[in-house]
Amino acid sequence: MDRILLIAVWAISITGLLLIPKRWRREAQVVFLFQQFINWILGLLVVQNGWIEYPLRELVYNRTSFTFEFMAYPIVAVYMNLYYPIQKSVWIKLMYVAAYPAGLTAIEHFIEKKTPLIDYITWKWYWTFLSVWVTLYLSRWFYTWFFRKAVVSENY
């Protein structure tokens, strides 16, 4: 059952990658890679400190959740950035970004309780919510910085 869940997450993630409109693929690649980088660092920090354990792993020498940190969560960050409500109010933007960590936290909490894929040692669900929210805002900041319009100086 647990392996089926991992395969399903991979299938959904790959489908999500394939469904990205062609005009946004460059932006999606940048966000995807940035999110993988952030996840790699934070995932190692959490696992090495013994806060979370992943008893069933895809890779023997990688003690983090390869599926979540290198595929599923970066896809979520891609869609969050590509469909970000730029023209909406600050409250709508905050709620939009809060919806993603809320959904991911609920899913992770369910997986932690019902499967051997995740074991919280000293970790709590609110740390997941907070870390996902912060990293999504980091990816948004990076996205807007990386794809900002070039400012042309009047001196040239």
Side-chain angles (χ1 to χ4, degrees), residues 82-94:
L82 293 181
Y83 294 102
Y84 188 80
I86 297 168
Q87 303 299 328
K88 302 293 181 181
S89 71
V90 172
W91 290 108
I92 297 294
K93 291 175 185 178
L94 285 171

Side-chain angles (χ1 to χ4, degrees), residues 4 9 30 35 42 44 51 58 82 90 106-107 109 117 122 124 132 141 145 150:
I4 292 171
V9 170
V30 169
Q35 197 65 45
L42 293 178
L44 287 176
W51 299 333
E58 302 87 342
L82 293 181
V90 172
I107 291 168
H109 185 70
L117 295 174
T122 59
K124 303 291 182 202
V132 170
W141 172 82
W145 172 80

